[in-house]
Amino acid sequence: MKRLLGAVAAAMLAFAPAAQATLPLEAWELYRQKFVMPDGRVVDDLNGAISHSESQGYGLLLACLAGDRTSFARILAFTRTELLIRDDGLAAWRWDPKATPRVTDINNATDGDLLIAYALNCAGSAWAMPGYTNAARQLARNIAKATFLKRGSETWLMPAVTGFSEKDRADGPVINPSYWVFEALPVMARLTGDNGWLKVQATGLKLLDTLAKANMPAPEWMSVKAEPRPADGFPAQFGYNAMRVPLYLLRAGLGEPGRLAPFRAAWANGPAIVDVRSKQAVEQLSDPGYRILVAALACAADGTAIPQELKSFVPTAYYPSTLHLLTLAMLSERYQRCM
Amino acid sequence: MHVKSILLAAVASGAIFYGLGRFGQGGELPPAPKPGTPSAFTLDQPMAERAEIKPELAQAPPPANLPAGQRQAQPAPPVDESALRYFASQGDTRRFEAELARLRALYPQWKPPTDLNTPIPAGDPELERMWKLFAEGKLSEVRAAIAGRSTKETGWSPPADLVQQLDQAEAAQRLVNASNARQWEQVIRIGTETPALLTCANVDALWRVAEAFVQTERRDRARDAYSYILANCEKAEERLGTMQKALSTLQDEQVNALMALERQNEFASIRDELARRRIGRAAEDPKLTVSADDLRRLEVLANAATTPDDPILLGFYALHHGEPAKASDWFRMALTRNGGAKAAEGAVLAFAANGKYQEAEALGSQWLEAGPANRKAYLDALTALLTQEPPPRLEAVVLERIVKTVSADRYALGAAALGWYAYNSGQTVPAEHWFETALAWDREHEPAAFGLALARQRLRDVAGLRAIIAEWRGRSQRIADILDPRRRHLSAREAPPRETGIRPATPEPVAVERMPRAQAPEASPRPPTAARRLTTEPAPVDTYLPAERPPALREAARPVRGGSCGSGSSGAAALARGWCLLNLKRPASAMQAFEAAMRTGDGQVVADAAAGKAYAALQQGLTNEATAAATSAALPPARRRELSALLLSERFYAQYDAKNFNAALLTLEERAKYAPETTDLMLMRGWSYFNARRYEDARRVFRALYKVNRSSQALSGLTAIDDATQRNRY
């Protein structure tokens, strides 16, 4: 554990938050025009045009990465007024324009909260706005208070305040590996002075390394009641949620070859939803937002150049388009040689 | 914004400050504010533990963004009227008024400008656009515009007034969202952080904060929010709405304290509702009473309206406060207004409480499926109906549905009541079976065991009687007393129990064959004497319909539940009192009442009173007096015959018990002149012959009986004769 924490600290030092825009403005403009409404709502178009704390968090982060202070203010205004209304200071996760009231599930989604806090910190540093930084710090404290599950030397990040704990489910606690936004964890640790965040980081990395030893790509939901295993009632798949795991590892500079190996193996024939036990593809994916993830893994491993058609961004649907931009920003920052 | 600084600023600026802690207990109210300058409602409470993203975060960087508190604490700042002027120029009355109220709350010394039509200084179209967006409610776009301009123009910062307006508008929206999502702590936090929101310009926000206090069990704080509105705000519908909310969430004394802030009788409807609430509570709890004022108020409302709710409330109140007649009237009104199951339940209870059991049963039978309360009311009513003595005349269809419901519910009290009904009608065999059924459904139901013992005694089933006595030894004195020779025969015929009870939890299964209806039909034809009896339709239940029935009692004469039998000197009143006392098992007093009725009443009353006197005499065991009363000239011939038959039955049993069997047989002959013999009496005739050692006559009777209904009693008679005659041979 000590060794691991040391590695994390080193990685943290190595990756200072972007002070300069790393996302090409024209790509962000295309994204903004398609998914960001004038009132600051970021729309998940394929998901019934709802919004959620995750889409708002990604919108904020991308706006910060693109240096778009105006859009950031717009998206934050919506996020704060419509979602940041919980008693515990976290964001309600689901907002449906067709429902009254709009918030249709007051539960939080911890990755959404974490993305919002991380983006606020990004904006606070990028534009010297202490208000944003303070808000990021407060939100980070609220997340730690409400969602950290300390157990022995481990600290798990619970996916939500309700619904996944030991008392909520027979196989609880249940976690979601893709909620570890690795790049944000050391930032939150430094922001709050709470090294619980580093323990969260270490716990997540240890889990991924255990999975890698078993040559298993991360499933969407895992029971950590005993030895980690795919949670009951969810498909044991390396699916839409989990495909962010290798991206987050790469963005955080934690993409060691061994850790990424199961993901590369699962995607040997291109991006797909993969059964984590049989390793069989359940569904092949073709959106450039997914294909660039595979290309980024190849770049990180072998220096393989990113195909031209993936370098230019054309918005498709909210989720793959988001992954596309996050990957492009990561590549331009860390892997210029593949571009 | 920091609460503390806001509060300090409010105090420093001379606002009248109503700290909640200052009048949090005891129902005091804040002093009336100076007219025209209400300060905002302030939530003087510690910041909730979890702080969160503050409004200032989205604003321009410091130093331009001074905390609001500091800004306000500076001495006599020039009041920023640009928003006010903008809203005035746009004709946006709602926002104009809100801003006016806000500025007044923040700056009590401030006088609104008189030159409002002067437009705001031109020259900053971009800022004007921001105000325009704000006026259109596009708050996110104002934030975006401010951020955009701050990026482009170094050194530019938004005017403080715009920032404040924006913060407040966003807070208002967040407050609504948090309140809709039932995040009460957050609602209170937002209210605490944004006191300018809590003014008469936004009563909805005050209501939501008050609701948050209610939901977090701080009703005193909610009361304070409501009292702020009533002390300061003018709009009639908001004032009334405030009282309605207070009424639905606060306790009576808190509501009463708020009522003191009423202006010009504006809360008459609240007073109505308070009366309704008090009566509603008292309607459920007989220990509570309400004032005559309350009752009058609700009665007026009930009569004026066309809805059933108030009549139902008044009905239950009357029912539970000793006025069943009044209750009946209210429930009747409720029923005509489609009052549904609740009205029907009340009506059934009220009719029964008035002694109108037949009416109660008839109505209750139509609402059986409406719910458990309706079913219970019906079962209680039918139990009371059946256990009257003398038993009422019931049509077959009525008995059928009673039997059906009692059987479906395995209702032991109902089965026992059917037992008493049969027993009191002289139908001892069905009575025995119903009592047995009741005991099968509830082993511990002593009254059924008592009834069963009496039935077996009357059937001369000595072994069966002894079995019951043995089973209940030490548990029921009156069952043990049945074989005590010192007891007179009539005393054993004491009233069946009226108490209603809980249905047995685990009744034993009872075969339908055990029901009396499976018994062979009665041998005797229905007596043709009284024409109204012919209305009884032949039906399976006939087997336990009494062949010989006492006359139906006048319904109005039934006693009220557990109460006195009233007074009154008219013949009708005395008659009613007589029946009531008779039902209360006070036959001596009843007899006096009937005698009084006979002295003062008219023809019908006198006739009824004469019959009553006969029953009263019977109940006392005064057979001679009963006989005398029965032969009274006041009685119509048909009734005289009925009474005579009944009296002769009683005389027969007395003689039989005294082992005067020959006299008993002569009494039966005399009785036969008035009415055909029932199977029970035929059985007793057999036993009388047996005991008089007239074995051949006995055998003839038992055989005839056995032929008719294959009864085991007849068979045991035949066996007894065989035993007796065989024994004689030795």
Side-chain angles (χ1 to χ4, degrees):
Chain A
M1 185 55 128
K2 217 167 196 177
R3 190 187 57 78
L4 208 51
L5 282 179
V8 168
M12 193 176 98
L13 289 173
F15 181 51
Q20 295 302 313
T22 55
L23 182 61
L25 199 55
E26 59 274 23
W28 161 248
E29 273 301 305
L30 291 171
Y31 181 97
R32 183 185 67 72
Q33 283 163 19
K34 179 144 188 197
F35 305 114
V36 183
M37 302 294 105
D39 63 357
R41 180 164 95 82
V42 183
V43 178
D44 184 348
D45 52 353
L46 287 192
N47 200 357
I50 65 162
S51 292
H52 29 67
S53 55
E54 177 214 89
S55 70
Q56 297 302 120
Y58 280 138
L60 289 168
L61 180 58
L62 292 171
C64 180
L65 294 176
D68 182 354
R69 207 173 137 183
T70 306
S71 295
F72 188 93
R74 187 192 306 277
I75 298 169
L76 181 61
F78 180 92
T79 308
R80 193 171 155 276
T81 309
E82 297 296 318
L83 299 184
L84 284 164
I85 56 170
R86 281 171 54 96
D87 280 346
D88 60 11
L90 301 182
W93 86 269
R94 193 174 197 279
W95 194 96
D96 187 339
K98 294 183 288 294
T100 308
R102 304 276 192 257
V103 170
T104 53
D105 187 351
I106 190 65
N107 203 4
N108 75 312
T110 306
D111 68 330
D113 296 316
L114 184 50
L115 287 166
I116 294 166
Y118 180 56
L120 277 166
N121 181 75
C122 172
S125 324
W127 304 316
M129 302 267 290
Y132 287 160
T133 308
N134 290 338
R137 183 179 298 115
Q138 192 56 55
L139 186 51
R141 287 191 181 129
N142 294 342
I143 295 169
K145 187 165 183 180
T147 71
F148 281 11
L149 173 67
K150 299 189 180 76
R151 226 176 39 173
S153 63
E154 298 165 339
T155 299
W156 298 98
L157 193 63
M158 292 304 291
V161 171
T162 57
F164 298 92
S165 71
E166 207 162 3
K167 70 173 195 322
D168 291 328
R169 293 175 56 101
D171 63 342
V174 161
I175 55 101
N176 188 321
S178 76
Y179 282 23
W180 268 254
V181 184
F182 282 107
E183 66 196 280
L185 302 176
V187 176
M188 298 296 112
R190 195 187 50 214
L191 191 60
T192 58
D194 175 2
N195 81 348
W197 286 100
L198 299 182
K199 288 187 181 151
V200 169
Q201 166 119 323
T203 303
L205 287 175
K206 188 171 159 226
L207 171 68
L208 292 179
D209 289 344
T210 308
L211 288 170
K213 278 202 193 86
N215 194 30
M216 184 188 272
E220 305 269 274
W221 297 96
M222 298 194 74
S223 162
V224 295
K225 184 185 176 84
E227 281 303 297
R229 62 174 178 86
D232 298 335
F234 296 102
Q237 288 172 356
F238 172 54
Y240 288 102
N241 269 299
M243 64 177 59
R244 294 176 294 185
V245 172
L247 172 63
Y248 286 157
L249 286 172
L250 288 175
R251 284 186 56 88
L254 297 168
E256 292 161 22
R259 198 173 277 153
L260 293 176
F263 302 106
R264 291 203 69 197
W267 281 345
N269 297 316
I273 308 298
V274 175
D275 184 299
V276 295
R277 295 194 180 99
S278 70
K279 313 290 190 296
Q280 296 299 306
V282 177
E283 182 188 352
Q284 289 291 338
L285 304 173
S286 58
D287 193 286
Y290 304 130
R291 281 188 284 129
I292 198 170
L293 293 176
V294 181
L297 279 174
C299 156
D302 312 322
T304 311
I306 303 297
Q308 194 57 42
E309 46 134 3
L310 296 179
K311 280 195 245 175
S312 62
F313 170 71
V314 179
T316 55
Y318 149 78
Y319 186 62
S321 297
T322 303
L323 298 181
H324 201 155
L325 291 195
L326 286 171
T327 310
L328 282 178
M330 187 271 295
L331 290 169
S332 82
E333 172 151 3
R334 293 181 172 278
Y335 297 98
Q336 270 301 333
R337 57 197 159 103
C338 305
M339 296 296 276
Chain B
M1 265 185 243
H2 300 285
V3 187
K4 208 167 173 187
S5 57
I6 288 283
L7 292 185
L8 285 174
V11 173
S13 63
I16 301 164
F17 165 53
Y18 305 131
L20 295 187
R22 298 179 187 184
F23 63 110
Q25 308 302 319
E28 295 169 56
L29 291 166
K34 285 182 204 161
T37 59
S39 71
F41 178 72
T42 43
L43 303 176
D44 179 21
Q45 66 147 35
M47 271 292 285
E49 197 190 336
R50 292 190 188 108
E52 57 159 59
I53 300 179
K54 300 292 192 299
E56 75 225 36
L57 69 89
Q59 291 319 310
N65 191 17
L66 272 177
Q70 283 177 35
R71 202 162 51 224
Q72 286 162 36
Q74 285 160 2
V79 176
D80 184 342
E81 295 166 355
S82 57
L84 197 67
R85 289 177 188 282
Y86 179 78
F87 297 140
S89 73
Q90 297 297 303
D92 186 342
T93 324
R94 191 175 65 79
R95 286 199 170 72
F96 174 81
E97 280 177 8
E99 173 66 355
L100 197 63
R102 188 185 72 87
L103 291 175
R104 277 181 166 152
L106 283 173
Y107 312 106
Q109 317 291 344
W110 171 76
K111 297 269 179 294
T114 47
D115 57 341
L116 276 170
N117 290 328
T118 316
I120 44 173
D124 192 343
E126 217 174 325
L127 182 59
E128 225 176 312
R129 200 185 127 253
M130 291 180 197
W131 277 116
K132 187 165 178 299
L133 288 170
F134 178 80
E136 291 164 4
K138 297 175 174 170
L139 306 184
S140 297
E141 297 190 44
V142 183
R143 291 281 180 207
I146 291 173
R149 189 166 178 187
S150 304
T151 313
K152 275 183 293 176
E153 282 178 42
T154 320
W156 182 85
S157 66
D161 193 44
L162 178 61
V163 173
Q164 206 160 20
Q165 285 279 330
L166 198 51
D167 285 352
Q168 197 180 311
E170 283 182 343
Q173 220 163 303
R174 286 187 79 213
L175 187 139
V176 169
N177 289 334
S179 155
N180 287 344
R182 309 181 66 79
Q183 301 292 296
W184 309 118
E185 296 292 345
Q186 184 67 271
V187 170
I188 293 166
R189 199 180 299 135
I190 294 166
T192 308
E193 289 169 359
T194 328
L197 205 57
L198 305 181
T199 64
C200 294
N202 194 348
V203 166
D204 178 67
L206 282 158
W207 283 345
R208 286 172 185 271
V209 167
E211 189 193 3
F213 279 132
V214 169
Q215 295 283 350
T216 52
E217 299 301 326
R218 286 171 277 185
R219 285 187 168 70
D220 275 356
R221 313 288 303 270
R223 192 267 324 267
D224 294 339
Y226 294 139
S227 75
Y228 170 88
I229 298 172
L230 297 177
N232 294 294
C233 308
E234 304 296 330
K235 283 189 188 140
E237 69 273 16
E238 289 178 345
R239 297 176 58 81
L240 187 57
T242 299
M243 277 313 297
Q244 282 161 350
K245 284 175 189 301
L247 192 64
S248 65
T249 51
L250 301 186
Q251 286 149 0
D252 275 10
E253 62 270 27
Q254 294 173 316
V255 176
N256 290 337
L258 292 174
M259 287 296 279
L261 295 168
E262 182 181 26
R263 297 175 188 169
Q264 288 141 19
N265 199 32
E266 62 186 330
F267 298 148
S269 66
I270 302 294
R271 243 180 281 281
D272 292 345
E273 194 51 47
L274 278 169
R276 186 174 285 128
R277 189 150 94 169
R278 286 190 285 264
I279 291 170
R281 269 197 301 261
E284 299 297 314
D285 183 352
K287 291 193 291 297
L288 299 176
T289 51
V290 298
S291 69
D293 274 356
D294 278 354
L295 279 176
R296 243 191 324 272
R297 187 178 275 272
L298 198 60
E299 282 167 9
V300 169
L301 290 170
N303 284 317
T306 55
T307 50
D309 301 347
D310 288 343
I312 288 175
L313 272 192
L314 287 163
F316 277 106
Y317 183 85
L319 179 65
H320 291 146
H321 292 81
E323 295 190 89
K326 211 184 223 182
S328 297
D329 292 343
W330 285 119
F331 287 126
R332 272 189 229 278
M333 177 189 277
L335 282 169
T336 62
R337 294 177 182 183
N338 298 320
K342 197 72 190 164
E345 180 203 338
V348 170
L349 294 172
F351 292 167
N354 277 315
K356 301 190 176 178
Y357 303 118
Q358 299 212 32
E359 229 180 308
E361 190 281 336
L363 177 66
S365 69
Q366 298 165 37
W367 291 88
L368 275 177
E369 307 309 324
N374 290 83
R375 221 171 164 86
K376 167 120 182 33
Y378 177 71
L379 290 170
D380 286 354
L382 71 83
T383 304
L385 171 68
L386 293 172
T387 51
Q388 294 173 95
E389 193 184 359
R393 198 188 125 269
L394 298 177
E395 292 189 11
V397 63
V398 173
L399 274 175
E400 263 176 19
R401 72 187 174 214
I402 288 176
V403 167
K404 192 174 155 206
T405 309
V406 166
S407 303
D409 284 26
R410 308 174 70 78
Y411 184 57
L413 259 63
L418 282 164
W420 289 116
Y421 182 73
Y423 184 91
N424 290 336
S425 309
Q427 297 291 296
T428 317
V429 172
E432 179 188 25
H433 283 274
W434 276 116
F435 287 129
E436 284 174 347
T437 303
L439 282 171
W441 289 341
D442 181 5
R443 257 190 191 301
E444 301 306 312
H445 192 47
E446 188 269 352
F450 181 58
L452 182 59
L454 292 183
R456 286 184 177 165
Q457 184 191 33
R458 191 180 271 184
L459 292 169
R460 299 304 180 262
D461 176 1
V462 179
L465 174 58
R466 289 199 183 282
I468 290 283
I469 290 173
E471 195 185 333
W472 286 82
R473 180 160 296 132
R475 290 195 289 157
S476 169
Q477 187 58 44
R478 61 175 175 168
I479 292 178
D481 284 347
I482 288 173
L483 281 185
D484 188 331
R486 283 165 299 182
R487 285 169 53 84
R488 284 175 302 142
H489 170 72
L490 269 174
S491 68
R493 290 198 56 192
E494 72 188 55
R498 272 288 167 77
E499 84 269 30
T500 54
I502 297 156
R503 290 158 54 192
T506 52
E508 287 179 13
V510 154
V512 175
E513 294 86 281
R514 295 198 63 197
M515 303 285 182
R517 71 167 67 202
Q519 296 291 313
E522 214 32 86
S524 58
R526 266 182 297 280
T529 43
R532 61 181 186 273
R533 286 182 182 166
L534 296 175
T535 57
T536 304
E537 297 295 322
V541 284
D542 273 5
T543 50
Y544 43 76
L545 286 181
E548 175 187 334
R549 238 172 335 214
L553 298 187
R554 292 272 294 273
E555 295 296 348
R558 290 292 165 191
V560 297
R561 179 188 294 186
S564 77
C565 289
S567 54
S569 55
S570 73
L575 179 63
R577 191 161 63 249
W579 290 122
C580 171
L581 289 164
L582 195 60
N583 262 0
L584 293 176
K585 300 301 150 207
R586 291 163 61 193
S589 307
M591 195 125 130
Q592 288 171 6
F594 287 127
E595 280 166 356
M598 286 174 80
R599 279 195 302 275
T600 55
D602 60 11
Q604 180 61 44
V605 169
V606 171
D608 280 0
K613 197 179 159 194
Y615 285 117
L618 259 180
Q619 214 176 67
Q620 295 176 86
L622 303 173
T623 321
N624 290 336
E625 280 86 340
T627 310
T631 51
S632 159
L635 283 173
R639 185 165 254 202
R640 214 181 300 164
R641 277 196 299 276
E642 288 170 354
L643 267 172
S644 297
L646 186 66
L647 282 164
L648 287 167
S649 301
E650 294 299 337
R651 187 196 292 171
F652 163 79
Y653 280 115
Q655 289 166 333
Y656 185 97
D657 285 353
K659 303 198 191 313
N660 194 351
F661 301 113
N662 288 321
L665 283 163
L666 285 175
T667 302
L668 278 188
E669 294 308 321
E670 196 184 340
R671 185 190 171 285
K673 291 183 209 155
Y674 298 102
E677 208 155 294
T678 63
T679 42
D680 292 341
L681 283 173
M682 278 181 78
L683 194 64
M684 294 313 297
R685 177 186 282 276
W687 286 111
S688 300
Y689 283 135
F690 177 88
N691 284 307
R693 296 174 193 268
R694 291 167 63 176
Y695 295 124
E696 284 316 305
D697 288 330
R699 197 189 302 277
R700 182 174 45 77
V701 171
F702 286 136
R703 272 195 185 140
L705 259 181
Y706 186 71
K707 225 170 164 179
V708 167
N709 66 4
R710 311 258 146 212
S711 87
S712 56
Q713 282 92 354
L715 201 58
S716 35
L718 290 170
T719 311
I721 295 167
D722 286 346
D723 287 352
T725 48
Q726 272 167 19
R727 219 171 21 240
N728 283 344
R729 283 183 197 150
Y730 293 104

